[in-house]
Amino acid sequence: MQNTRNVTDSIVWVGANDRRIALFENLFPVEKGVSYNSYLILDEKTAVMDTADSAVTLQFLENVKGALNGRELDYIVVNHMEPDHCANIETLMNLYPSSKVVGNGKTFKFIEQFYDMNLEGRKIEVKEGDVLDLGRHKLQFVFAPMVHWPEVMMAYEQTEKILFSADAFGSFGAVDALFNDEQKDAFADLGEMRRYFSNIVGKYGPQVQGVLKKAAGLEITQICPLHGQIWRKDLDQVLAVHDKWSRYEAEEKAVAIFYGSMYGDTAEAAEMLAGMLAEAGVKNTVVYDVSSTHVSYLISEIFRCSHIVLAAPTYNNGLYPAMLNLLEDMKALNLQNRNISIIENGSWAPQAGKIMREKLEGLKGMEILGQTVTIKSALKADTVEALREMSREIAESLKG
Ligand code: FEO
């Protein structure tokens, strides 16, 4: 059965939710599922913008067919060629034999790589700034390379002033209310939006900055991303958080403590430091076990917090693997500009602190506060005092 929503009188959301998916990209836990958004414009010509993942093909096709209401489909616009959005291009081409596929040079290269479609006579290649005339609606293409793949482009509908933003401004989570003004608090799921941003496009901050500059030159009434809710109020706030994240600027002055611990001794140090920070007047410190928390949540917290504490034991004369994984991910995602404190543990040859410092030196703008606190197996009076000193340093730095 068709299950669509009207974005405007002549633009229809024809996407679908997937609440069965466990791991997005077979990598990121999505407890609340994910939405695959697709949009159909009904004008003198009809155009669908991106398709959907194969998991929701049936619902997507029913939506397109229902919204077309017997009309032909003229254009299949491919803003992003990642399979979660392009799995149904060929099916649409077969169902609507006069339709043409609209993309850029890189889009068509990826189509050839992923699929064996016959695009002869069915291809329209566009360049930055080109306009696809549908009648009253006119789609202007705004290229957004590496947000999140190189072929990505956005489409700005000039008449109703709607930005179809591809992966930009998206979120994890199926949509309960499609439009952000249908929720009491449109930012209630900011954590999932941040986790999506930081892990999916976090690496490409400068490219996101480029998109924000282009967006600043457009009058926008609604932002329609490929995942998550449609933004039709508080657009300034949405743009502002993305500006902050893509500049690698912390969302707030706050502390996140990440620990790895085999037998509980390093964990005890992390918990004790959290208490000392609270006693020093620091509010809302959060503590995570890196072994039991998916790294995507940790990355999201690093995007949020100005101050990070890394606490880990030495392992095989190296660094505890779960902490190593976090540091590798921080590098892969281009994380920058945080204040870091380090706690290491080692029973006979502590190495963890040295390795964490070396890894952090490879990242831009990471300031290491004070001395590494070294625990020899378990906390003793001198290490407790060193933790107290660390809490003072962090509290002082937070005031700066
Ligand atoms: Fe949801 Fe980069 O695709």
Side-chain angles (χ1 to χ4, degrees):
M1 175 63 78
Q2 175 187 354
N3 182 13
T4 56
R5 298 285 313 274
N6 279 3
V7 176
T8 67
D9 287 348
S10 46
I11 301 179
V12 187
W13 176 81
V14 290
N17 282 325
D18 181 0
R19 296 178 195 270
R20 290 189 173 193
I21 184 173
L23 297 174
F24 183 77
E25 294 185 356
N26 207 17
L27 198 59
F28 303 104
V30 279
E31 289 88 351
K32 295 179 184 168
V34 70
S35 75
Y36 301 107
N37 297 338
S38 170
Y39 304 92
L40 181 69
I41 301 182
L42 299 161
D43 203 319
E44 288 165 28
K45 298 283 186 185
T46 60
V48 71
M49 253 160 305
D50 294 291
T51 70
D53 190 83
S54 57
V56 296
T57 291
L58 287 179
Q59 181 68 66
F60 168 71
L61 293 177
E62 284 188 3
N63 287 349
V64 173
K65 187 178 167 202
L68 280 170
N69 194 23
R71 291 190 62 183
E72 270 304 308
L73 180 63
D74 295 302
Y75 300 113
I76 303 164
V77 177
V78 183
N79 285 325
H80 187 14
M81 251 309 288
E82 194 161 7
D84 56 334
H85 306 292
C86 66
N88 293 289
I89 295 175
E90 193 166 22
T91 310
L92 282 184
M93 287 174 69
N94 291 336
L95 284 170
Y96 303 99
S98 57
S99 63
K100 290 197 163 58
V101 179
V102 180
N104 57 55
K106 290 193 173 90
T107 316
F108 290 112
K109 189 162 175 288
F110 284 167
I111 288 180
E112 272 176 34
Q113 288 176 202
F114 275 105
Y115 304 111
D116 291 311
M117 294 176 198
N118 180 5
L119 284 165
E120 208 181 314
R122 309 221 23 204
K123 187 173 143 173
I124 297 176
E125 189 171 320
V126 294
K127 296 197 167 41
E128 167 94 50
D130 281 358
V131 173
L132 182 68
D133 194 339
L134 304 175
R136 192 167 75 87
H137 295 87
K138 295 172 199 321
L139 288 175
Q140 174 189 341
F141 295 102
V142 179
F143 284 21
M146 299 319 299
V147 186
H148 137 238
W149 281 17
E151 86 298 355
V152 170
M153 56 187 193
M154 305 188 294
Y156 176 65
E157 201 292 296
Q158 295 174 333
T159 304
E160 302 206 68
K161 307 192 186 315
I162 295 177
L163 182 67
F164 297 95
S165 63
D167 272 352
F169 312 111
S171 179
F172 288 140
V175 285
D176 304 324
L178 179 61
F179 298 95
N180 76 316
D181 57 7
E182 294 171 339
Q183 296 194 61
K184 276 188 188 154
D185 176 6
F187 290 89
D189 289 330
L190 184 65
E192 281 301 85
M193 204 197 327
R194 188 194 315 105
R195 190 165 68 93
Y196 171 86
F197 176 88
S198 54
N199 288 278
I200 303 298
V201 288
K203 180 180 175 64
Y204 306 111
Q207 289 84 350
V208 175
Q209 282 287 307
V211 161
L212 289 167
K213 282 199 183 78
K214 288 181 184 179
L218 302 170
E219 187 186 341
I220 299 171
T221 56
Q222 299 193 48
I223 297 176
C224 294
L226 287 174
H227 299 288
Q229 62 194 343
I230 294 172
W231 296 91
R232 62 182 183 189
K233 73 163 196 179
D234 300 327
L235 302 191
D236 288 350
Q237 267 174 275
V238 183
L239 294 166
V241 288
H242 284 81
D243 181 42
K244 195 164 258 197
W245 293 335
S246 56
R247 281 189 283 112
Y248 303 101
E249 193 179 292
E251 206 176 295
E252 54 187 298
K253 286 200 169 189
V255 186
I257 303 175
F258 303 123
Y259 73 83
S261 188
M262 282 181 280
Y263 300 109
D265 296 296
T266 314
E268 189 180 16
E271 302 287 3
M272 195 173 277
L273 179 66
M276 290 168 173
L277 284 166
E279 286 166 7
V282 177
K283 304 232 186 283
N284 297 329
T285 296
V286 290
V287 180
Y288 291 93
D289 180 344
V290 296
S291 296
S292 61
T293 312
H294 191 271
V295 70
S296 62
Y297 292 93
L298 308 178
I299 291 291
S300 177
E301 286 293 64
I302 300 175
F303 268 77
R304 182 176 68 84
C305 297
S306 58
H307 288 66
I308 308 298
V309 180
L310 302 177
T314 303
Y315 196 88
N316 283 336
N317 205 30
L319 179 60
Y320 190 64
M323 183 59 78
L324 184 61
N325 182 46
L326 171 60
L327 281 157
E328 297 290 354
D329 220 24
M330 286 169 68
K331 183 170 175 58
L333 293 169
N334 204 16
L335 265 159
Q336 304 171 21
N337 307 330
R338 294 295 181 274
N339 299 282
I340 312 268
S341 304
I342 294 175
I343 302 168
E344 67 173 352
N345 197 341
S347 291
W348 60 93
Q351 290 292 317
K354 178 169 154 277
I355 296 166
M356 286 191 274
R357 275 180 184 267
E358 284 168 2
K359 294 278 179 198
L360 291 164
E361 276 166 15
L363 304 180
K364 271 194 212 159
M366 294 296 186
E367 186 178 336
I368 298 179
L369 297 180
Q371 301 295 310
T372 298
V373 172
T374 300
I375 303 163
K376 288 278 187 69
S377 305
L379 287 174
K380 303 291 175 189
D382 60 336
T383 38
V384 169
E385 188 40 49
L387 288 175
R388 179 74 67 188
E389 179 55 27
M390 179 176 273
S391 71
R392 288 189 205 107
E393 283 164 0
I394 295 171
E396 197 52 41
S397 168
L398 279 163
K399 288 181 198 152

